[in-house]
Amino acid sequence: MAAAGNILERFDDSELLKRYRLNRDGILYVVELVRDAITSPTNRNHPISPEIKVLTTLRYLATGKMQLCNGDDIGISQPSVSRILHQTLNALSRPHIVRQFICFPTGVREINKNKADFMAIAGLPGVVGAIDGTHVRIISPSQDEDVFVNRKKYHSINTQVVFDPNFLILDIVAKWPGATHDSRILHESGVRQLFERHHVPAGSHLVGDSGYASRTWLLTPYMNPQPGPQLLYNRAHKKTRNVVERGIGQMKRRFHVLHGEIRLTPEKASRVITVCAILHNLCKRRNIPQPDDEDEGGNDDDDDDEAAEGGMAIANQSGLVSVKADNDGSRPLMRARFGCQSAVSPALNLTTKHLDEKLGEKGGGARTFK
């Protein structure tokens, strides 16, 4: 079995980044985060060190390789690799570590900074986060197989993620079967409660695609925008929402396990996704760059791009989860004022103008797992 010290000394930061997606300091930082939970209680039978356990887990997340191949890299058996992954992923996804790295801001200072940074992108005021769903492929589960088949006809976990303007993950929900509609996930999420229970300051908004229901705190694109302010709004909305597309792309390209098929149970796959999100934020906070062999990209399973230049948006997807829609035109219109007082967005000229936004559909009947 290769010694962790040998690996960390043999490779420089660029090689470590290529193989493990973190540099030496980042790897050692992760080791200290979980050392208490993954250190063997005795020295019997030559226990595997916490450093090797972390390196094995990072190698799996970085490559998505089969566990036997992963074992060959460091010289440990496949059963040992399986136990290491289970132990280390559990340790990294403990609630106090999740809260340490993924937390939706509610303080005025943090909120105002996010608003200013989003405003600088395309002049859209009041935005504090960009939300989207992304599908992570998994093997066919042994139970409730049908609810994991998404609209593209493969098994997946539909993962809701919210990014700030600097590509930090503010919130992630990685537990819903692939057939679940994005609107359903949002309706059941803590993010909705943060806004509707007024834990987030008034005048704060998320931006999301047309798969979401429009709310006072969730800005979605016009379906058929008229030339002028509505079309300008859609263009600014598209450019602002691109943050979440790029953020998902960065996370998936750093951790290739999210690009392939996760050959684990849905519960364990959910843990893998959450740990990747934690490590993504760790890399952002510690300024660990993207590996040189990967380019930044977007959310490659997104079908709800609002095609802002043309001004058209795609309607809610038809999928395996039924979505009730009112077709009689009787749904009330909701007026949402952007949270600005002065003309800070000349390109939009929308700062004091009320925009009509339709209340959208709500999904139902979906199942989740703990």
Side-chain angles (χ1 to χ4, degrees), residues 83-138:
R83 289 192 296 271
I84 286 169
L85 290 179
H86 178 74
Q87 184 183 35
T88 310
L89 290 170
N90 282 349
L92 277 170
S93 58
R94 289 176 293 175
H96 74 277
I97 292 182
V98 176
R99 289 192 298 268
Q100 180 178 343
F101 290 94
I102 302 175
C103 182
F104 200 97
T106 55
V108 173
R109 179 177 298 180
E110 294 171 292
I111 289 291
N112 286 342
K113 183 181 186 306
N114 280 1
K115 287 182 179 180
D117 289 347
F118 269 116
M119 184 79 169
I121 295 174
L124 202 61
V127 177
V128 297
I131 188 171
D132 202 359
T134 186
H135 288 268
V136 177
R137 187 186 295 261
I138 62 171

Side-chain angles (χ1 to χ4, degrees), residues 119-192:
M119 184 79 169
I121 295 174
L124 202 61
V127 177
V128 297
I131 188 171
D132 202 359
T134 186
H135 288 268
V136 177
R137 187 186 295 261
I138 62 171
I139 60 171
S140 175
S142 58
Q143 295 182 342
D144 297 326
E145 178 269 342
D146 58 313
V147 301
F148 287 91
V149 179
N150 64 28
R151 65 185 182 275
K152 292 190 175 181
K153 308 305 180 186
Y154 64 83
H155 300 89
S156 68
I157 301 293
N158 191 359
T159 303
Q160 176 182 285
V161 62
V162 181
F163 278 87
D164 80 359
N166 299 304
F167 306 106
L168 273 171
I169 295 172
L170 302 179
D171 185 76
I172 188 165
V173 180
K175 66 178 183 180
W176 288 87
T180 314
H181 195 277
D182 289 352
S183 284
R184 171 69 172 177
I185 299 174
L186 177 59
H187 181 75
E188 300 290 340
S189 71
V191 167
R192 180 184 70 88

Side-chain angles (χ1 to χ4, degrees), residues 120-340:
I121 295 174
L124 202 61
V127 177
V128 297
I131 188 171
D132 202 359
T134 186
H135 288 268
V136 177
R137 187 186 295 261
I138 62 171
I139 60 171
S140 175
S142 58
Q143 295 182 342
D144 297 326
E145 178 269 342
D146 58 313
V147 301
F148 287 91
V149 179
N150 64 28
R151 65 185 182 275
K152 292 190 175 181
K153 308 305 180 186
Y154 64 83
H155 300 89
S156 68
I157 301 293
N158 191 359
T159 303
Q160 176 182 285
V161 62
V162 181
F163 278 87
D164 80 359
N166 299 304
F167 306 106
L168 273 171
I169 295 172
L170 302 179
D171 185 76
I172 188 165
V173 180
K175 66 178 183 180
W176 288 87
T180 314
H181 195 277
D182 289 352
S183 284
R184 171 69 172 177
I185 299 174
L186 177 59
H187 181 75
E188 300 290 340
S189 71
V191 167
R192 180 184 70 88
Q193 296 182 34
L194 282 177
F195 280 91
E196 295 192 352
R197 294 180 181 178
H198 309 293
H199 294 298
V200 180
S204 302
H205 313 288
L206 298 178
V207 287
D209 64 25
S210 57
Y212 292 105
S214 180
R215 303 173 186 269
T216 55
W217 48 266
L218 177 57
L219 305 178
T220 58
Y222 281 97
M223 295 297 293
N224 294 286
Q226 299 300 310
Q230 291 185 5
L231 185 57
L232 289 173
Y233 163 83
N234 267 23
R235 290 174 177 169
H237 183 282
K238 178 182 175 68
K239 190 172 181 180
T240 304
R241 196 180 67 84
N242 185 248
V243 166
V244 69
E245 302 289 342
R246 294 173 61 190
I248 290 170
Q250 288 179 14
M251 181 173 69
K252 285 190 172 184
R253 284 162 176 78
R254 185 183 292 273
F255 300 109
H256 281 190
V257 69
L258 302 179
H259 257 315
E261 181 181 69
I262 300 180
R263 304 186 64 79
L264 299 171
T265 65
E267 293 84 356
K268 291 180 179 178
S270 172
R271 204 165 294 126
V272 166
I273 299 166
T274 300
V275 168
C276 287
I278 290 168
L279 294 174
H280 169 89
N281 276 6
L282 184 151
C283 290
K284 290 295 182 183
R285 291 183 183 183
R286 298 180 69 87
N287 296 316
I288 299 174
Q290 289 284 119
D292 291 338
D293 60 333
E294 298 299 331
D295 295 325
E296 181 182 311
N299 183 5
D300 50 11
D301 58 28
D302 178 58
D303 281 342
D304 287 315
D305 182 10
E306 56 269 34
E309 291 302 323
M312 290 297 295
I314 300 173
N316 288 331
Q317 310 97 321
S318 59
L320 299 180
V321 175
S322 63
V323 179
K324 294 181 180 179
D326 296 327
N327 297 317
D328 59 1
S330 63
R331 281 183 294 182
L333 293 181
M334 173 174 62
R335 301 270 188 179
R337 181 190 294 274
F338 292 155
C340 270

